[in-house]
Amino acid sequence: MAKRVLVVEDNELNLKLFCDLLRAHDFAVEPVRDGRDAVACAKAFEPDLVVMDIQLPHVSGFELIGQMKRDPRLRAIPIMAVTAYAGRDDEDRIRAAGANAYVSKPISVMRFIDEVRALLPDAGGERLA
């Protein structure tokens, strides 16, 4: 059975890229364009992983991470932050907020899939070089 990934991204091109990449690697994907819908979608979709932009309109990725980590139904789901924030302090701040992994934009396709697989070790497939 395919691992389920919820993708929270407001930029249509990035959302399409992330979803297409994940589907090409046999993941079941649920896109979310508005962060305000992310928690409800996560509860309905029951993902194995959440891939989330940090810079979202209406609600920040930091707020969403906090909401998910406080929810008993969602707290165990790993979160991979994907963001244009690129400094070392930014990564530390994102991880301190509760994200399990961090990938900076523009993404490296190989690193993106590697990080997803690292968070879902039983998802199958070989790690990319």
Side-chain angles (χ1 to χ4, degrees):
M1 189 162 126
K3 291 292 183 176
R4 300 161 66 90
V5 182
L6 182 76
V7 179
V8 184
E9 171 64 65
D10 64 304
N11 178 289
E12 284 295 325
L13 291 176
N14 287 337
L15 184 66
K16 181 173 176 16
L17 172 64
F18 301 158
C19 291
D20 287 351
L21 279 172
L22 291 163
R23 287 181 183 120
H25 287 89
D26 298 320
F27 292 96
V29 180
E30 179 70 21
V32 177
R33 289 163 183 79
D34 189 327
R36 296 174 292 190
D37 300 329
V39 171
C41 287
K43 287 179 180 179
F45 184 63
E46 300 179 345
D48 299 294
L49 172 67
V50 175
V51 173
M52 179 186 306
D53 186 14
I54 294 298
Q55 295 175 293
L56 296 166
H58 312 295
V59 59
S60 79
F62 290 109
E63 291 173 62
L64 283 177
I65 291 169
Q67 288 175 24
M68 289 184 176
K69 293 303 179 180
R70 286 188 301 273
D71 189 301
R73 289 182 54 200
L74 304 177
R75 72 171 48 124
I77 300 169
I79 297 172
M80 183 172 87
V82 183
T83 183
Y85 291 138
R88 178 67 185 158
D89 290 341
D90 294 321
E91 180 174 358
D92 291 344
R93 203 169 129 229
I94 289 166
R95 288 183 182 273
N100 303 83
Y102 165 91
V103 175
S104 62
K105 293 177 187 175
I107 67 162
S108 155
V109 171
M110 292 188 301
R111 176 150 187 256
F112 179 85
I113 293 299
D114 259 2
E115 289 294 331
V116 168
R117 287 190 176 138
L119 291 168
L120 299 172
D122 56 343
E126 296 179 20
R127 286 182 64 91
L128 300 172

